[in-house]
Amino acid sequence: MKYRIFVKGLWENNAVFKQVLGMCPVLAVTTSAINGIAMGVASTVVLVCSNMVVSLIKNIIPSKVRIPTYIVVIAAFVTIIDLLMNAYFHDIHKVLGLFVPLIVVNCMILGRAESFASKNNLSNSIMDGLGVGIGFTMALFLLGSIREILGNGSIFNFYILSENFEPAVIMILPPGAFITLGFLLFLVNYIDDIGKHKE
Amino acid sequence: MNKVSFKMVVILTAVAFIASLLISLVYSTTKDRIEDEYRKEFLRGLVSVFPPFDNEPDSEKKNINDTVVYIAKKSDKVIAYAVKSLSKKGYGGSIEVLVGVDILGDITGIEILKHAETPGLGNKIEKVFFKDAFKGLNILDKIAVKKDGGIIDEFSGATITPRAVCEAVEKGLIFISTNVLEPR
């Protein structure tokens, strides 16, 4: 049962490839693999924490003020993560700085609080947060690696392609994000389709 | 006020109160460390623009014409000065550069402190080879990109960014040469 929830969040309901949620960080920060992972991990931590708290307080929150309450909870965790990152991972914070506060408005996180954590118990909510968060991180990492390899000829700052390779700078620029995401969406849905036909 | 809306107010207030309590707790524990990180980062910048020094330039500074001048000393003798210099002509907003100049008026190094240039294009100004191109230049050199008749290499696809850096470096150099150094 727990395993099902995890896989559902990770793949079947993948926030990026299936629900196409949280597009701002997906498109904006994935200029390199490491940025993608850092953003994904930060979002995952916020997601798991907010799912946890929302699931714990779901019974005492009047339904009319549930959304403002969730936003307060999420914003508190984002601010805490922002401060911790600034203190302990200063270099990554310098790159992602602007986008970390924007995790608050990542609709993926509010979406999970509203549609899952507010209806399920604590352990299921943590599992769901982990699944969706890791799925999100995976998608950001994939997008970031492809863009970094094609646009800069490197991965994790190691240059893997030969000197003769002329990087396509457009892949690092915003259009590259849309192009890569488009192809990845196509690929994921294609793989899914094949799976369905076999059944 | 009926009972239901009273409950709403109380709960939302309580949640906000607990949240702000937590944030203030984390803030007070990380505050010193964050300040320390910013200071270390700036000190790293100073180390890279100055020749080897043995004082603490970020505390040994002077205010000249409303600009903070950082002073590097070796065995108590002044060897170089540095100022922060800003150009507003960057592609993604203003670019802040730290310019180090020795007592003879030659640039000892530059460091990009703040910029919002395009990753992969404009942000190549952070690379060592670009920053090193400014070393040893003085006020008699034409600090500008080659396209403008200067001596600094621009990158293909990005001229605006190096041009802005040149402007900032030249401004800093002129400031130190005219206000800080003694006229030669």
Side-chain angles (χ1 to χ4, degrees):
Chain A
M1 179 59 195
K2 297 258 151 50
Y3 173 75
R4 279 299 307 150
I5 294 172
F6 182 76
V7 174
K8 214 169 169 187
L10 189 75
W11 180 257
E12 284 162 47
N13 280 335
N14 187 296
V16 175
F17 295 136
K18 294 297 168 58
Q19 302 185 330
V20 200
L21 287 177
M23 283 298 109
C24 165
V26 170
L27 295 170
V29 305
T30 53
T31 50
S32 70
I34 190 75
N35 286 0
I37 290 185
M39 187 68 195
V41 170
S43 304
T44 305
V45 174
V46 172
L47 180 58
V48 172
C49 293
S50 82
N51 259 10
M52 233 161 78
V53 171
V54 166
S55 165
L56 283 175
I57 61 174
K58 62 177 184 287
N59 291 330
I60 57 164
I61 304 293
S63 68
K64 274 186 186 156
V65 289
R66 66 180 194 287
I67 301 288
T69 314
Y70 300 160
I71 289 289
V72 170
V73 170
I74 295 166
F77 281 120
V78 170
T79 312
I80 289 170
I81 297 285
D82 189 35
L83 288 169
L84 290 176
M85 254 173 110
N86 201 349
Y88 297 99
F89 302 99
H90 193 73
D91 288 333
I92 288 187
H93 185 270
K94 232 170 81 184
V95 181
L96 293 180
L98 182 66
F99 296 102
V100 174
L102 282 179
I103 297 176
V104 178
V105 290
N106 188 333
C107 43
M108 173 188 85
I109 293 169
L110 184 62
R112 292 329 287 171
E114 166 75 3
S115 70
F116 196 94
S118 63
K119 300 184 183 91
N120 288 279
N121 64 25
L122 181 65
S123 55
N124 283 357
S125 298
I126 294 175
M127 218 53 203
D128 177 71
L130 278 175
V132 174
I134 293 171
F136 185 69
T137 310
M138 203 178 65
L140 257 68
F141 165 68
L142 210 63
L143 212 62
S145 332
I146 294 173
R147 289 180 67 193
E148 194 182 347
I149 291 171
L150 295 179
N152 205 25
S154 63
I155 182 136
F156 295 116
N157 283 326
F158 291 112
Y159 287 84
I160 49 164
L161 295 170
S162 74
E163 289 278 298
N164 298 328
F165 175 76
E166 184 62 44
V169 177
I170 191 165
M171 296 310 286
I172 298 271
L173 299 178
F178 284 97
I179 295 169
T180 316
L181 183 66
F183 276 108
L184 280 175
L185 282 175
F186 160 72
L187 200 71
V188 167
N189 284 305
Y190 185 70
I191 293 169
D192 247 26
D193 258 11
I194 293 176
K196 268 180 203 148
H197 279 301
K198 270 187 189 153
E199 281 166 19
Chain B
M1 198 157 62
N2 62 38
K3 228 175 158 185
V4 180
S5 53
F6 183 69
K7 193 185 164 203
M8 276 174 6
V9 172
V10 169
I11 287 183
L12 197 52
T13 313
V15 169
F17 180 75
I18 295 168
S20 45
L21 208 69
L22 273 175
I23 292 173
S24 58
L25 205 74
V26 175
Y27 175 75
S28 55
T29 47
T30 53
K31 192 169 157 266
D32 291 342
R33 204 182 148 108
I34 290 173
E35 253 168 40
D36 201 45
E37 287 287 333
Y38 277 117
R39 183 173 170 258
K40 257 195 269 173
E41 193 186 315
F42 187 61
L43 208 60
R44 268 206 301 271
L46 284 173
V47 168
S48 61
V49 302
F50 280 144
F53 55 86
D54 54 14
N55 66 332
E56 282 186 21
D58 64 331
S59 47
E60 225 166 307
K61 53 196 175 188
K62 251 195 311 201
N63 242 321
I64 300 175
N65 295 354
D66 288 334
T67 310
V68 183
V69 178
Y70 302 91
I71 303 163
K73 287 180 179 172
K74 192 160 193 182
S75 333
D76 282 335
K77 262 172 67 188
V78 175
I79 51 169
Y81 301 96
V83 285
K84 288 181 190 171
S85 178
L86 194 81
S87 168
K88 288 188 175 138
K89 292 188 182 157
Y91 194 72
S94 41
I95 298 177
E96 198 175 22
V97 182
L98 187 68
V99 189
V101 180
D102 67 12
I103 43 173
L104 298 172
D106 292 332
I107 294 179
T108 52
I110 69 158
E111 183 63 45
I112 314 293
L113 294 177
K114 210 158 62 187
H115 76 87
E117 300 304 298
T118 321
L121 276 175
N123 78 347
K124 282 190 196 140
I125 54 172
E126 286 179 351
K127 296 248 160 101
V128 177
F129 80 89
F130 179 76
K131 291 187 288 198
D132 279 354
F134 291 93
K135 272 188 189 165
L137 301 182
N138 64 38
I139 199 149
L140 301 172
D141 290 304
K142 191 164 165 49
I143 299 175
V145 291
K146 282 188 176 150
K147 222 181 219 169
D148 300 343
I151 44 174
I152 302 295
D153 264 322
E154 66 256 11
F155 333 110
S156 54
T159 314
I160 294 168
T161 310
R163 191 180 277 156
V165 176
C166 289
E167 191 202 67
V169 172
E170 193 169 27
K171 237 172 27 188
L173 178 63
I174 289 172
F175 179 84
I176 293 183
S177 305
T178 51
N179 295 314
V180 185
L181 298 176
E182 282 152 34
R184 311 197 227 196

